[in-house]
Each structure stands twice: as C-alpha cells, then as structure tokens.
Amino acid sequence: GADRAGREPWRSAAALLWAAGRPAGFAPELLRQAWEKRINCPASSAAGRLFDAAAALIGVCREASYEGEGPIRLEALATTAEAGIPLPLERDTDGILRCDWAPLLPMLTDAAQSQAERAGRFHAALADALAAQAERLRSETGANDVGLTGGVFQNRLLTRLACDKLAWRGFTVHLPERIPVNDAGISFGQTMEYLCRHE
C-alpha cells in the first residue's frame, strides 16, 4: 500500500497478521495475494507503521483522516502503561539487532482486555524492547549513551517510558533540542552522515 498504509492503518495490521501466519478477515483476498507476491507492498522498518497496525488491531483507528491519527489516538487511549510483553531480540542477515513484534499480536487482538489496557501494554512493550536493545549493545560495545530520535518519539508516553527504563538501567539519554525529532530532521542527519564519511 506504500503511502496508503499511513492513511489506512488496517493495511499495516493485515500485513502483520499475514507475516505471522494469521488470517486477516477484514482485508480483501486480492490484497493478501498482492502482499504475498510483494506487488505494491514495500517492506517498512518504521515504528510508525507498527503503531498504525496496533491502533487498527485494537479498534481505535482503522482509517485515518490525517497523518498519524492512529498513533495519536493510541497514545491518548493508553492512560496507564501496564506491564509489557517481552519481545525477542535477534540479528537480521545484515547484522542489525531487531525485536520480534509477533508476540504482541495475541494481546492486541484480545477483546477480553480493554482497549486502554492493550494500548498501554503496547507502549510498555516497545519501551522495554528499546531498553533491552540498548543493554545488549552496551554489553557488546560499552556505549552508555542513547539518543532517541524519529517521529515515534513525538509520542510523549513512549518517550517517558523509554527514558525512565533507560535511566533506571544507568544509561544517559539524549533527546533532540534544536533539530526536529521527526522526518523534518532527516536532511540534517543525512548531511552529518555525508560529512562523517568524507572527512
């Protein structure tokens, strides 16, 4: 769905379910076939798409009327941050450490839990996963500073939880002060990467 996925969070939800081998009865069969053949279905590692999927699966936003509506409504709903769900960490074929989001699906689709509880557990799980990744990298590199950036950290609940969990583990946490945390800061990052590679 490319850009449509941001406006139609149910698309991200369907892709997560299909990737985990679960049905997505709300999605057209033709779309599932396109997803299987990777036709107009680019992969994304953006945390924002995971927030979109969670919002759709919990039932707070299946179609968005503005960019980021699903994640915004999900954050507003999560009045408490209940205990998260451990997400396994594994290195991909490029050596990048990634968390496996599949264990979230049973909780996100569990109608026996309130929407607010599921939204809170989702936030807590992502903050826990971030802290676990930081600890793993610290054990490998000795790095003790963590910089949080990306549009997902416009989410105050996620940012507070991540900062608290990292600080509790002894990390020094840095948040952007002059550069926007979201996509508006990408060009600055690209410039810095270019300068570092061409010193």
Side-chain angles (χ1 to χ4, degrees):
D3 289 341
R4 291 183 68 181
R7 291 290 185 154
E8 299 175 9
W10 65 266
R11 291 175 179 267
S12 292
L16 287 188
L17 291 169
W18 291 330
R22 298 180 61 167
F26 53 84
E29 174 61 19
L30 189 60
L31 186 64
R32 187 188 62 78
Q33 293 173 13
W35 176 83
E36 286 180 344
K37 296 174 182 175
R38 300 297 184 252
I39 299 172
N40 294 327
C41 296
S44 173
S45 62
R49 296 294 75 84
L50 191 58
F51 269 83
D52 284 338
L57 291 171
I58 289 174
V60 297
C61 184
R62 290 191 171 91
E63 298 210 13
S65 57
Y66 58 87
E67 183 70 26
E69 181 179 359
I72 289 170
R73 293 180 67 183
L74 194 66
E75 178 188 7
L77 186 64
T79 52
T80 61
E82 300 295 336
I85 295 168
L87 302 180
L89 289 172
E90 294 181 9
R91 290 200 183 277
D92 66 14
T93 54
D94 295 322
I96 297 173
L97 193 61
R98 298 187 186 276
C99 63
D100 180 2
W101 42 259
L104 291 171
L105 294 176
M107 179 272 295
L108 292 173
T109 56
D110 181 8
Q113 298 180 51
S114 72
Q115 289 180 323
E117 181 181 2
R118 286 182 279 166
R121 294 188 73 194
F122 174 77
H123 282 79
L126 293 191
D128 285 339
L130 191 151
Q133 285 180 323
E135 283 193 312
R136 175 93 167 263
L137 290 171
R138 178 169 59 188
S139 72
E140 296 172 0
T141 67
N144 201 55
D145 287 59
V146 177
L148 302 179
T149 187
V152 73
F153 290 108
Q154 291 178 292
N155 180 314
R156 289 185 183 193
L157 176 58
L158 178 66
T159 302
R160 178 180 59 78
L161 289 172
C163 287
D164 289 350
K165 291 174 187 295
L166 288 165
W168 185 81
R169 289 167 172 81
F171 287 98
T172 301
V173 183
H174 304 275
L175 292 166
E177 293 181 3
R178 297 181 187 174
I179 308 296
V181 72
N182 61 9
D183 288 355
I186 289 177
S187 60
F188 180 79
Q190 291 170 329
T191 301
M192 293 305 293
E193 181 178 1
Y194 176 83
L195 291 174
C196 288
R197 289 183 181 202
H198 299 88
E199 284 187 48

PDB file of all heavy atoms in Angstrom, residues 87-93 95-100 127-146 165-166 169 171:
ATOM      1  N   LEU A  87       9.730  -8.937  23.984  1.00  0.00           N
ATOM      2  CA  LEU A  87       9.891  -9.135  22.543  1.00  0.00           C
ATOM      3  C   LEU A  87      11.299  -9.668  22.273  1.00  0.00           C
ATOM      4  O   LEU A  87      12.280  -9.011  22.613  1.00  0.00           O
ATOM      5  CB  LEU A  87       9.671  -7.814  21.796  1.00  0.00           C
ATOM      6  CG  LEU A  87       8.316  -7.137  22.021  1.00  0.00           C
ATOM      7  CD1 LEU A  87       8.231  -5.843  21.236  1.00  0.00           C
ATOM      8  CD2 LEU A  87       7.175  -8.064  21.634  1.00  0.00           C
ATOM      9  N   PRO A  88      11.409 -10.853  21.688  1.00  0.00           N
ATOM     10  CA  PRO A  88      12.729 -11.440  21.432  1.00  0.00           C
ATOM     11  C   PRO A  88      13.587 -10.543  20.539  1.00  0.00           C
ATOM     12  O   PRO A  88      13.076  -9.869  19.646  1.00  0.00           O
ATOM     13  CB  PRO A  88      12.401 -12.752  20.714  1.00  0.00           C
ATOM     14  CG  PRO A  88      10.971 -13.033  21.034  1.00  0.00           C
ATOM     15  CD  PRO A  88      10.318 -11.702  21.227  1.00  0.00           C
ATOM     16  N   LEU A  89      14.891 -10.539  20.805  1.00  0.00           N
ATOM     17  CA  LEU A  89      15.854  -9.781  20.002  1.00  0.00           C
ATOM     18  C   LEU A  89      16.685 -10.743  19.170  1.00  0.00           C
ATOM     19  O   LEU A  89      17.200 -11.733  19.694  1.00  0.00           O
ATOM     20  CB  LEU A  89      16.785  -8.971  20.904  1.00  0.00           C
ATOM     21  CG  LEU A  89      16.187  -7.779  21.625  1.00  0.00           C
ATOM     22  CD1 LEU A  89      17.200  -7.210  22.617  1.00  0.00           C
ATOM     23  CD2 LEU A  89      15.765  -6.710  20.638  1.00  0.00           C
ATOM     24  N   GLU A  90      16.811 -10.440  17.894  1.00  0.00           N
ATOM     25  CA  GLU A  90      17.638 -11.254  17.014  1.00  0.00           C
ATOM     26  C   GLU A  90      18.315 -10.348  16.003  1.00  0.00           C
ATOM     27  O   GLU A  90      17.791  -9.291  15.649  1.00  0.00           O
ATOM     28  CB  GLU A  90      16.792 -12.301  16.283  1.00  0.00           C
ATOM     29  CG  GLU A  90      16.185 -13.355  17.179  1.00  0.00           C
ATOM     30  CD  GLU A  90      15.387 -14.386  16.396  1.00  0.00           C
ATOM     31  OE1 GLU A  90      15.460 -14.373  15.151  1.00  0.00           O
ATOM     32  OE2 GLU A  90      14.694 -15.190  17.033  1.00  0.00           O
ATOM     33  N   ARG A  91      19.478 -10.783  15.522  1.00  0.00           N
ATOM     34  CA  ARG A  91      20.164 -10.048  14.465  1.00  0.00           C
ATOM     35  C   ARG A  91      19.644 -10.532  13.113  1.00  0.00           C
ATOM     36  O   ARG A  91      19.481 -11.728  12.900  1.00  0.00           O
ATOM     37  CB  ARG A  91      21.674 -10.249  14.551  1.00  0.00           C
ATOM     38  CG  ARG A  91      22.278  -9.553  15.744  1.00  0.00           C
ATOM     39  CD  ARG A  91      23.773  -9.335  15.576  1.00  0.00           C
ATOM     40  NE  ARG A  91      24.314  -8.725  16.779  1.00  0.00           N
ATOM     41  CZ  ARG A  91      24.281  -7.419  17.030  1.00  0.00           C
ATOM     42  NH1 ARG A  91      23.725  -6.608  16.155  1.00  0.00           N
ATOM     43  NH2 ARG A  91      24.788  -6.933  18.139  1.00  0.00           N
ATOM     44  N   ASP A  92      19.409  -9.590  12.213  1.00  0.00           N
ATOM     45  CA  ASP A  92      18.974  -9.975  10.870  1.00  0.00           C
ATOM     46  C   ASP A  92      20.194 -10.320  10.021  1.00  0.00           C
ATOM     47  O   ASP A  92      21.330 -10.332  10.505  1.00  0.00           O
ATOM     48  CB  ASP A  92      18.109  -8.880  10.242  1.00  0.00           C
ATOM     49  CG  ASP A  92      18.868  -7.583   9.978  1.00  0.00           C
ATOM     50  OD1 ASP A  92      20.118  -7.582  10.024  1.00  0.00           O
ATOM     51  OD2 ASP A  92      18.209  -6.570   9.705  1.00  0.00           O
ATOM     52  N   THR A  93      19.977 -10.589   8.755  1.00  0.00           N
ATOM     53  CA  THR A  93      21.073 -11.011   7.880  1.00  0.00           C
ATOM     54  C   THR A  93      22.109  -9.909   7.670  1.00  0.00           C
ATOM     55  O   THR A  93      23.241 -10.198   7.275  1.00  0.00           O
ATOM     56  CB  THR A  93      20.526 -11.455   6.512  1.00  0.00           C
ATOM     57  OG1 THR A  93      19.717 -10.398   5.959  1.00  0.00           O
ATOM     58  CG2 THR A  93      19.675 -12.713   6.662  1.00  0.00           C
ATOM     59  N   GLY A  95      23.079  -8.039  10.180  1.00  0.00           N
ATOM     60  CA  GLY A  95      23.703  -7.836  11.475  1.00  0.00           C
ATOM     61  C   GLY A  95      23.018  -6.794  12.337  1.00  0.00           C
ATOM     62  O   GLY A  95      23.526  -6.421  13.389  1.00  0.00           O
ATOM     63  N   ILE A  96      21.858  -6.324  11.905  1.00  0.00           N
ATOM     64  CA  ILE A  96      21.116  -5.307  12.670  1.00  0.00           C
ATOM     65  C   ILE A  96      20.256  -6.009  13.718  1.00  0.00           C
ATOM     66  O   ILE A  96      19.527  -6.961  13.410  1.00  0.00           O
ATOM     67  CB  ILE A  96      20.242  -4.448  11.745  1.00  0.00           C
ATOM     68  CG1 ILE A  96      21.131  -3.673  10.764  1.00  0.00           C
ATOM     69  CG2 ILE A  96      19.367  -3.489  12.550  1.00  0.00           C
ATOM     70  CD1 ILE A  96      20.368  -2.928   9.703  1.00  0.00           C
ATOM     71  N   LEU A  97      20.329  -5.538  14.950  1.00  0.00           N
ATOM     72  CA  LEU A  97      19.567  -6.108  16.046  1.00  0.00           C
ATOM     73  C   LEU A  97      18.115  -5.621  15.968  1.00  0.00           C
ATOM     74  O   LEU A  97      17.849  -4.424  15.996  1.00  0.00           O
ATOM     75  CB  LEU A  97      20.206  -5.684  17.377  1.00  0.00           C
ATOM     76  CG  LEU A  97      19.758  -6.395  18.633  1.00  0.00           C
ATOM     77  CD1 LEU A  97      20.066  -7.892  18.540  1.00  0.00           C
ATOM     78  CD2 LEU A  97      20.461  -5.792  19.838  1.00  0.00           C
ATOM     79  N   ARG A  98      17.191  -6.563  15.843  1.00  0.00           N
ATOM     80  CA  ARG A  98      15.777  -6.214  15.705  1.00  0.00           C
ATOM     81  C   ARG A  98      14.941  -6.986  16.712  1.00  0.00           C
ATOM     82  O   ARG A  98      15.264  -8.113  17.069  1.00  0.00           O
ATOM     83  CB  ARG A  98      15.282  -6.528  14.297  1.00  0.00           C
ATOM     84  CG  ARG A  98      15.989  -5.734  13.211  1.00  0.00           C
ATOM     85  CD  ARG A  98      15.342  -5.946  11.861  1.00  0.00           C
ATOM     86  NE  ARG A  98      16.076  -5.302  10.805  1.00  0.00           N
ATOM     87  CZ  ARG A  98      15.961  -4.030  10.448  1.00  0.00           C
ATOM     88  NH1 ARG A  98      15.112  -3.252  11.102  1.00  0.00           N
ATOM     89  NH2 ARG A  98      16.663  -3.530   9.459  1.00  0.00           N
ATOM     90  N   CYS A  99      13.844  -6.358  17.139  1.00  0.00           N
ATOM     91  CA  CYS A  99      12.934  -7.067  18.030  1.00  0.00           C
ATOM     92  C   CYS A  99      11.831  -7.721  17.199  1.00  0.00           C
ATOM     93  O   CYS A  99      11.444  -7.213  16.156  1.00  0.00           O
ATOM     94  CB  CYS A  99      12.349  -6.142  19.091  1.00  0.00           C
ATOM     95  SG  CYS A  99      11.331  -4.820  18.464  1.00  0.00           S
ATOM     96  N   ASP A 100      11.346  -8.838  17.667  1.00  0.00           N
ATOM     97  CA  ASP A 100      10.274  -9.574  17.009  1.00  0.00           C
ATOM     98  C   ASP A 100       8.954  -9.109  17.606  1.00  0.00           C
ATOM     99  O   ASP A 100       8.682  -9.315  18.783  1.00  0.00           O
ATOM    100  CB  ASP A 100      10.491 -11.072  17.237  1.00  0.00           C
ATOM    101  CG  ASP A 100       9.410 -11.918  16.577  1.00  0.00           C
ATOM    102  OD1 ASP A 100       8.505 -11.358  15.916  1.00  0.00           O
ATOM    103  OD2 ASP A 100       9.461 -13.145  16.734  1.00  0.00           O
ATOM    104  N   ALA A 127       8.812   0.178  24.814  1.00  0.00           N
ATOM    105  CA  ALA A 127       9.828   0.804  25.666  1.00  0.00           C
ATOM    106  C   ALA A 127      10.750  -0.250  26.265  1.00  0.00           C
ATOM    107  O   ALA A 127      11.974  -0.059  26.337  1.00  0.00           O
ATOM    108  CB  ALA A 127       9.147   1.624  26.768  1.00  0.00           C
ATOM    109  N   ASP A 128      10.186  -1.376  26.692  1.00  0.00           N
ATOM    110  CA  ASP A 128      11.004  -2.473  27.226  1.00  0.00           C
ATOM    111  C   ASP A 128      11.954  -3.008  26.156  1.00  0.00           C
ATOM    112  O   ASP A 128      13.120  -3.296  26.432  1.00  0.00           O
ATOM    113  CB  ASP A 128      10.110  -3.620  27.725  1.00  0.00           C
ATOM    114  CG  ASP A 128       9.427  -3.301  29.042  1.00  0.00           C
ATOM    115  OD1 ASP A 128       9.907  -2.414  29.777  1.00  0.00           O
ATOM    116  OD2 ASP A 128       8.398  -3.943  29.334  1.00  0.00           O
ATOM    117  N   ALA A 129      11.454  -3.152  24.925  1.00  0.00           N
ATOM    118  CA  ALA A 129      12.279  -3.666  23.833  1.00  0.00           C
ATOM    119  C   ALA A 129      13.430  -2.717  23.533  1.00  0.00           C
ATOM    120  O   ALA A 129      14.563  -3.147  23.293  1.00  0.00           O
ATOM    121  CB  ALA A 129      11.428  -3.883  22.589  1.00  0.00           C
ATOM    122  N   LEU A 130      13.143  -1.424  23.566  1.00  0.00           N
ATOM    123  CA  LEU A 130      14.195  -0.438  23.321  1.00  0.00           C
ATOM    124  C   LEU A 130      15.275  -0.532  24.395  1.00  0.00           C
ATOM    125  O   LEU A 130      16.474  -0.540  24.088  1.00  0.00           O
ATOM    126  CB  LEU A 130      13.580   0.963  23.291  1.00  0.00           C
ATOM    127  CG  LEU A 130      14.468   2.080  22.793  1.00  0.00           C
ATOM    128  CD1 LEU A 130      13.627   3.161  22.158  1.00  0.00           C
ATOM    129  CD2 LEU A 130      15.301   2.673  23.914  1.00  0.00           C
ATOM    130  N   ALA A 131      14.872  -0.652  25.643  1.00  0.00           N
ATOM    131  CA  ALA A 131      15.836  -0.762  26.739  1.00  0.00           C
ATOM    132  C   ALA A 131      16.644  -2.055  26.627  1.00  0.00           C
ATOM    133  O   ALA A 131      17.853  -2.066  26.888  1.00  0.00           O
ATOM    134  CB  ALA A 131      15.109  -0.699  28.085  1.00  0.00           C
ATOM    135  N   ALA A 132      15.985  -3.134  26.213  1.00  0.00           N
ATOM    136  CA  ALA A 132      16.698  -4.411  26.054  1.00  0.00           C
ATOM    137  C   ALA A 132      17.729  -4.319  24.932  1.00  0.00           C
ATOM    138  O   ALA A 132      18.844  -4.847  25.057  1.00  0.00           O
ATOM    139  CB  ALA A 132      15.700  -5.533  25.776  1.00  0.00           C
ATOM    140  N   GLN A 133      17.366  -3.638  23.842  1.00  0.00           N
ATOM    141  CA  GLN A 133      18.326  -3.456  22.751  1.00  0.00           C
ATOM    142  C   GLN A 133      19.520  -2.634  23.221  1.00  0.00           C
ATOM    143  O   GLN A 133      20.672  -2.959  22.908  1.00  0.00           O
ATOM    144  CB  GLN A 133      17.655  -2.754  21.567  1.00  0.00           C
ATOM    145  CG  GLN A 133      16.740  -3.657  20.773  1.00  0.00           C
ATOM    146  CD  GLN A 133      16.101  -2.936  19.606  1.00  0.00           C
ATOM    147  OE1 GLN A 133      15.755  -1.755  19.697  1.00  0.00           O
ATOM    148  NE2 GLN A 133      15.921  -3.630  18.504  1.00  0.00           N
ATOM    149  N   ALA A 134      19.254  -1.587  23.978  1.00  0.00           N
ATOM    150  CA  ALA A 134      20.342  -0.744  24.478  1.00  0.00           C
ATOM    151  C   ALA A 134      21.280  -1.540  25.383  1.00  0.00           C
ATOM    152  O   ALA A 134      22.510  -1.407  25.289  1.00  0.00           O
ATOM    153  CB  ALA A 134      19.769   0.464  25.220  1.00  0.00           C
ATOM    154  N   GLU A 135      20.705  -2.370  26.248  1.00  0.00           N
ATOM    155  CA  GLU A 135      21.537  -3.179  27.131  1.00  0.00           C
ATOM    156  C   GLU A 135      22.393  -4.166  26.347  1.00  0.00           C
ATOM    157  O   GLU A 135      23.559  -4.373  26.651  1.00  0.00           O
ATOM    158  CB  GLU A 135      20.666  -3.944  28.139  1.00  0.00           C
ATOM    159  CG  GLU A 135      20.166  -3.076  29.265  1.00  0.00           C
ATOM    160  CD  GLU A 135      19.588  -3.892  30.414  1.00  0.00           C
ATOM    161  OE1 GLU A 135      18.777  -4.806  30.137  1.00  0.00           O
ATOM    162  OE2 GLU A 135      19.959  -3.619  31.566  1.00  0.00           O
ATOM    163  N   ARG A 136      21.806  -4.762  25.333  1.00  0.00           N
ATOM    164  CA  ARG A 136      22.551  -5.719  24.508  1.00  0.00           C
ATOM    165  C   ARG A 136      23.707  -5.017  23.806  1.00  0.00           C
ATOM    166  O   ARG A 136      24.833  -5.523  23.774  1.00  0.00           O
ATOM    167  CB  ARG A 136      21.598  -6.346  23.495  1.00  0.00           C
ATOM    168  CG  ARG A 136      22.253  -7.264  22.507  1.00  0.00           C
ATOM    169  CD  ARG A 136      22.230  -8.716  22.960  1.00  0.00           C
ATOM    170  NE  ARG A 136      22.585  -9.569  21.858  1.00  0.00           N
ATOM    171  CZ  ARG A 136      21.711 -10.190  21.073  1.00  0.00           C
ATOM    172  NH1 ARG A 136      20.416 -10.074  21.306  1.00  0.00           N
ATOM    173  NH2 ARG A 136      22.121 -10.944  20.091  1.00  0.00           N
ATOM    174  N   LEU A 137      23.454  -3.844  23.249  1.00  0.00           N
ATOM    175  CA  LEU A 137      24.506  -3.108  22.552  1.00  0.00           C
ATOM    176  C   LEU A 137      25.578  -2.618  23.524  1.00  0.00           C
ATOM    177  O   LEU A 137      26.762  -2.600  23.191  1.00  0.00           O
ATOM    178  CB  LEU A 137      23.899  -1.939  21.772  1.00  0.00           C
ATOM    179  CG  LEU A 137      23.053  -2.355  20.561  1.00  0.00           C
ATOM    180  CD1 LEU A 137      22.309  -1.155  19.992  1.00  0.00           C
ATOM    181  CD2 LEU A 137      23.921  -3.011  19.496  1.00  0.00           C
ATOM    182  N   ARG A 138      25.168  -2.229  24.730  1.00  0.00           N
ATOM    183  CA  ARG A 138      26.148  -1.800  25.725  1.00  0.00           C
ATOM    184  C   ARG A 138      27.077  -2.955  26.089  1.00  0.00           C
ATOM    185  O   ARG A 138      28.285  -2.766  26.243  1.00  0.00           O
ATOM    186  CB  ARG A 138      25.459  -1.257  26.971  1.00  0.00           C
ATOM    187  CG  ARG A 138      26.456  -0.844  28.068  1.00  0.00           C
ATOM    188  CD  ARG A 138      25.800  -0.072  29.193  1.00  0.00           C
ATOM    189  NE  ARG A 138      24.742  -0.820  29.846  1.00  0.00           N
ATOM    190  CZ  ARG A 138      23.917  -0.284  30.759  1.00  0.00           C
ATOM    191  NH1 ARG A 138      24.040   0.985  31.120  1.00  0.00           N
ATOM    192  NH2 ARG A 138      22.978  -1.022  31.319  1.00  0.00           N
ATOM    193  N   SER A 139      26.522  -4.154  26.201  1.00  0.00           N
ATOM    194  CA  SER A 139      27.350  -5.312  26.541  1.00  0.00           C
ATOM    195  C   SER A 139      28.348  -5.630  25.436  1.00  0.00           C
ATOM    196  O   SER A 139      29.412  -6.193  25.686  1.00  0.00           O
ATOM    197  CB  SER A 139      26.473  -6.537  26.829  1.00  0.00           C
ATOM    198  OG  SER A 139      25.892  -7.042  25.637  1.00  0.00           O
ATOM    199  N   GLU A 140      28.023  -5.244  24.201  1.00  0.00           N
ATOM    200  CA  GLU A 140      28.894  -5.531  23.068  1.00  0.00           C
ATOM    201  C   GLU A 140      29.880  -4.403  22.782  1.00  0.00           C
ATOM    202  O   GLU A 140      30.983  -4.648  22.284  1.00  0.00           O
ATOM    203  CB  GLU A 140      28.052  -5.790  21.813  1.00  0.00           C
ATOM    204  CG  GLU A 140      27.167  -7.021  21.914  1.00  0.00           C
ATOM    205  CD  GLU A 140      26.206  -7.150  20.746  1.00  0.00           C
ATOM    206  OE1 GLU A 140      26.233  -6.274  19.845  1.00  0.00           O
ATOM    207  OE2 GLU A 140      25.430  -8.126  20.723  1.00  0.00           O
ATOM    208  N   THR A 141      29.478  -3.172  23.083  1.00  0.00           N
ATOM    209  CA  THR A 141      30.298  -2.016  22.682  1.00  0.00           C
ATOM    210  C   THR A 141      30.789  -1.163  23.842  1.00  0.00           C
ATOM    211  O   THR A 141      31.710  -0.374  23.680  1.00  0.00           O
ATOM    212  CB  THR A 141      29.502  -1.102  21.742  1.00  0.00           C
ATOM    213  OG1 THR A 141      28.415  -0.511  22.477  1.00  0.00           O
ATOM    214  CG2 THR A 141      28.948  -1.866  20.539  1.00  0.00           C
ATOM    215  N   GLY A 142      30.114  -1.256  24.985  1.00  0.00           N
ATOM    216  CA  GLY A 142      30.452  -0.404  26.113  1.00  0.00           C
ATOM    217  C   GLY A 142      29.766   0.953  26.067  1.00  0.00           C
ATOM    218  O   GLY A 142      29.898   1.758  26.987  1.00  0.00           O
ATOM    219  N   ALA A 143      29.023   1.221  25.004  1.00  0.00           N
ATOM    220  CA  ALA A 143      28.328   2.511  24.866  1.00  0.00           C
ATOM    221  C   ALA A 143      27.276   2.658  25.958  1.00  0.00           C
ATOM    222  O   ALA A 143      26.507   1.735  26.224  1.00  0.00           O
ATOM    223  CB  ALA A 143      27.678   2.622  23.494  1.00  0.00           C
ATOM    224  N   ASN A 144      27.239   3.846  26.580  1.00  0.00           N
ATOM    225  CA  ASN A 144      26.309   4.075  27.674  1.00  0.00           C
ATOM    226  C   ASN A 144      25.366   5.239  27.397  1.00  0.00           C
ATOM    227  O   ASN A 144      24.542   5.580  28.227  1.00  0.00           O
ATOM    228  CB  ASN A 144      27.085   4.324  28.973  1.00  0.00           C
ATOM    229  CG  ASN A 144      26.228   4.059  30.192  1.00  0.00           C
ATOM    230  OD1 ASN A 144      25.683   2.972  30.326  1.00  0.00           O
ATOM    231  ND2 ASN A 144      26.106   5.043  31.059  1.00  0.00           N
ATOM    232  N   ASP A 145      25.493   5.854  26.221  1.00  0.00           N
ATOM    233  CA  ASP A 145      24.625   6.965  25.841  1.00  0.00           C
ATOM    234  C   ASP A 145      23.636   6.485  24.789  1.00  0.00           C
ATOM    235  O   ASP A 145      24.009   5.765  23.861  1.00  0.00           O
ATOM    236  CB  ASP A 145      25.449   8.126  25.278  1.00  0.00           C
ATOM    237  CG  ASP A 145      26.205   8.857  26.360  1.00  0.00           C
ATOM    238  OD1 ASP A 145      27.025   8.224  27.065  1.00  0.00           O
ATOM    239  OD2 ASP A 145      25.970  10.058  26.507  1.00  0.00           O
ATOM    240  N   VAL A 146      22.380   6.911  24.919  1.00  0.00           N
ATOM    241  CA  VAL A 146      21.337   6.539  23.973  1.00  0.00           C
ATOM    242  C   VAL A 146      20.680   7.810  23.451  1.00  0.00           C
ATOM    243  O   VAL A 146      20.229   8.646  24.236  1.00  0.00           O
ATOM    244  CB  VAL A 146      20.268   5.639  24.637  1.00  0.00           C
ATOM    245  CG1 VAL A 146      19.146   5.323  23.655  1.00  0.00           C
ATOM    246  CG2 VAL A 146      20.900   4.359  25.162  1.00  0.00           C
ATOM    247  N   LYS A 165      12.965   3.818  31.657  1.00  0.00           N
ATOM    248  CA  LYS A 165      13.544   2.472  31.662  1.00  0.00           C
ATOM    249  C   LYS A 165      15.044   2.513  31.370  1.00  0.00           C
ATOM    250  O   LYS A 165      15.817   1.742  31.947  1.00  0.00           O
ATOM    251  CB  LYS A 165      12.809   1.585  30.652  1.00  0.00           C
ATOM    252  CG  LYS A 165      11.381   1.267  31.083  1.00  0.00           C
ATOM    253  CD  LYS A 165      10.620   0.524  30.005  1.00  0.00           C
ATOM    254  CE  LYS A 165       9.163   0.359  30.383  1.00  0.00           C
ATOM    255  NZ  LYS A 165       8.942  -0.489  31.546  1.00  0.00           N
ATOM    256  N   LEU A 166      15.467   3.413  30.495  1.00  0.00           N
ATOM    257  CA  LEU A 166      16.888   3.542  30.181  1.00  0.00           C
ATOM    258  C   LEU A 166      17.652   4.141  31.355  1.00  0.00           C
ATOM    259  O   LEU A 166      18.731   3.661  31.717  1.00  0.00           O
ATOM    260  CB  LEU A 166      17.072   4.386  28.919  1.00  0.00           C
ATOM    261  CG  LEU A 166      16.660   3.707  27.611  1.00  0.00           C
ATOM    262  CD1 LEU A 166      16.527   4.745  26.499  1.00  0.00           C
ATOM    263  CD2 LEU A 166      17.648   2.621  27.215  1.00  0.00           C
ATOM    264  N   ARG A 169      18.368   1.814  34.089  1.00  0.00           N
ATOM    265  CA  ARG A 169      19.449   0.879  33.769  1.00  0.00           C
ATOM    266  C   ARG A 169      20.812   1.571  33.691  1.00  0.00           C
ATOM    267  O   ARG A 169      21.804   0.967  33.314  1.00  0.00           O
ATOM    268  CB  ARG A 169      19.145   0.173  32.446  1.00  0.00           C
ATOM    269  CG  ARG A 169      18.005  -0.833  32.547  1.00  0.00           C
ATOM    270  CD  ARG A 169      17.536  -1.271  31.171  1.00  0.00           C
ATOM    271  NE  ARG A 169      16.575  -2.360  31.235  1.00  0.00           N
ATOM    272  CZ  ARG A 169      15.292  -2.220  31.484  1.00  0.00           C
ATOM    273  NH1 ARG A 169      14.787  -1.013  31.722  1.00  0.00           N
ATOM    274  NH2 ARG A 169      14.485  -3.262  31.515  1.00  0.00           N
ATOM    275  N   PHE A 171      21.664   4.325  31.793  1.00  0.00           N
ATOM    276  CA  PHE A 171      22.015   4.975  30.532  1.00  0.00           C
ATOM    277  C   PHE A 171      21.840   6.488  30.642  1.00  0.00           C
ATOM    278  O   PHE A 171      21.007   6.969  31.410  1.00  0.00           O
ATOM    279  CB  PHE A 171      21.123   4.464  29.395  1.00  0.00           C
ATOM    280  CG  PHE A 171      21.443   3.075  28.940  1.00  0.00           C
ATOM    281  CD1 PHE A 171      20.714   1.990  29.411  1.00  0.00           C
ATOM    282  CD2 PHE A 171      22.470   2.838  28.044  1.00  0.00           C
ATOM    283  CE1 PHE A 171      20.999   0.704  28.999  1.00  0.00           C
ATOM    284  CE2 PHE A 171      22.772   1.552  27.625  1.00  0.00           C
ATOM    285  CZ  PHE A 171      22.031   0.482  28.100  1.00  0.00           C
TER     286      PHE A 171
END
